[in-house]
DNA sequence: AAGTGCGCTTGACAGTGTCAAGGAAAACGG
DNA sequence: CCGTTTTCCTTGACACTGTCAAGCGCACTT
């Protein structure tokens, strides 16, 4: 009944918290959202079922920490993809959108956790707030060249974010391509190409 | 709004199924996603905790049925709003998008259930499939005038759907307005105004 | 009137998160 | 080097979840 995976080393002092987060990420990637459980995390990290409560305040706290880690990786992925291409506004924006979608596709359960966290009202969630803000900053920076004078930056940012996030979530739940052949990410981005540049 | 869901005494033969669905909708509206439970539905409908299993195949089946009801109301709401305004392509599209957002805002838990149903692999879900297709048809019809010759209809449909769905979900989880002042739905729709009409 | 099904109830089971209480062991102070 | 304190974790219980097997009751059939 015990799962095959066990962490062999007795956890050194500080890193049980880290171990629990990693266990959560593993479970999420392997078994999906339903497979992520406080008790399974504890078992995978090699501790008793109530141990997580001492490092996070209950399940919400653990999910918060996992989501924060997710946002961190998310921001890294977008930054990397943006830096890989030409340093031109439209290319950067499209690179970030592609990275956004790829991340969601490659980490569906984690992505779902990140953008679902209705709980997170629990802890102040400082770590989560910071990681989320960093990811948002990447998107905001790429949107900046399209902000027309006299308009709030939040408008373009929200347009871009809504578009790519909607596409990602709809794809993840399998909604797209049910009634029509799937429109690709490039098809999607063609709408953004209509955005005028602020020269 | 229908209706009384209080079945005080032994329910007549056919309508326990209906009563359970209504109980589910009530719980969803009152207590949110976490408040929707097989046992609470059964209790609210006045039957024993295992009764639902005979009308739906377990929890997934009940959620399927509730989501189907949600899609039906969703399609109704969009159609009503579209018919209320002028019969002009841009006005219709914007009316539908506004109705889309209003529905999500007014029925957050139900909306979440509808667009989350990862389960629904259970039953073939014919009822759900139909109701979902009807809602999609409303959106597709409003998008049709913007389909340029030589392009697949699915492209514009996906653009519109992704944009409004992304905005709705981001708003629901409270992501928007954290880093910048909130961009309104109208701000969002200004992006769609860039879509050329197919005259 | 007896037989036959269907609709629902009852009771149990393995899970889940959470909490109170206790123990082991490291850190500390003398 | 010993006693105390503090920190971290374990143990055990609780209420709650969905699911399943068995069985009761009542309507309908013959």
């Amino acid at each position: 009944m015990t799962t095959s995976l066990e962490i062999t080393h007795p956890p050194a002092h500080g890193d049980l918290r880290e171990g629990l987060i990693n266990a959560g990420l593993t479970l999420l990637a392997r078994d999906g959202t339903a497979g992520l459980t406080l008790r399974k995390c504890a078992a995978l990290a090699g501790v008793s079922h109530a141990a997580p409560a001492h490092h996070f305040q209950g399940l919400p706290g653990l999910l918060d920490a996992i989501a924060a880690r997710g946002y961190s990786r998310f921001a890294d992925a977008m930054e990397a993809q943006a830096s890989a291409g030409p340093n031109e506004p439209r290319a950067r924006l499209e690179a970030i959108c592609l990275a956004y979608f790829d991340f969601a596709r490659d980490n569906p359960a984690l992505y779902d956790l990140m953008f679902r966290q209705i709980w997170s009202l629990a802890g102040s969630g400082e770590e989560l707030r910071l990681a989320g803000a960093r990811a948002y900053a990447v998107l905001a920076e790429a949107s900046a060249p399209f902000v027309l004078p006299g308009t709030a930056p939040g408008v373009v940012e929200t347009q871009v974010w809504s578009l790519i996030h909607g596409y990602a979530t709809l794809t993840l739940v399998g909604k797209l391509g049910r009634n029509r052949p799937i429109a690709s990410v490039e098809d999607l981005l063609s709408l953004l190409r209509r955005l005028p540049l602020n020269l």
Side-chain angles (χ1 to χ4, degrees), chain A:
Chain A
M1 196 46 193
T2 64
T3 40
S4 56
L5 275 166
E6 282 190 12
I7 290 197
T8 53
H9 67 280
H13 267 53
D15 57 14
L16 211 193
R17 184 186 163 95
E18 202 65 17
L20 286 169
I21 294 178
N22 286 329
L25 288 167
T26 300
L27 286 172
L28 218 44
R30 204 186 53 187
D31 304 329
T33 303
L36 177 55
T37 284
L38 254 182
R39 292 170 112 104
K40 285 185 193 162
C41 274
L44 192 55
V47 290
S48 84
H49 68 267
H54 293 267
H55 292 271
F56 314 93
Q57 44 230 63
L59 179 61
L62 175 56
L63 296 180
D64 247 46
I66 295 176
R69 192 61 52 92
Y71 274 111
S72 193
R73 293 186 182 178
F74 188 41
D76 290 344
M78 287 193 291
E79 275 177 351
Q81 192 75 14
S83 306
N87 192 7
E88 188 265 330
R90 295 196 186 275
R92 282 186 68 88
L93 183 61
E94 296 198 7
I96 280 180
C97 286
L98 283 175
Y100 193 114
F101 178 71
D102 287 348
F103 184 90
R105 188 200 47 201
D106 296 340
N107 311 276
L110 178 57
Y111 183 82
D112 182 61
L113 173 66
M114 289 160 50
F115 283 99
R116 202 176 147 61
Q117 31 115 181
I118 11 188
W119 39 82
S120 96
L121 313 165
S124 54
E126 192 61 15
E127 191 186 356
L128 177 60
R129 208 187 94 322
L130 243 70
R134 185 161 80 87
Y136 188 85
V138 176
L139 190 141
E141 195 188 341
S143 303
F146 301 92
V147 175
L148 298 181
T151 71
V155 173
V156 175
E157 293 163 9
T158 301
Q159 288 171 344
V160 171
W161 196 11
S162 296
L163 188 68
I164 189 63
H165 179 256
Y167 183 75
T169 54
L170 288 174
T171 301
L172 251 58
V173 300
K175 290 284 183 192
L176 289 179
R178 280 201 167 211
N179 309 277
R180 307 273 194 199
I182 296 188
S184 68
V185 201
E186 279 78 15
D187 288 334
L188 224 242
L189 294 184
S190 70
L191 181 57
L192 290 184
R193 299 207 181 93
R194 302 191 181 282
L195 282 175
L197 247 169
N198 175 28
L199 297 177

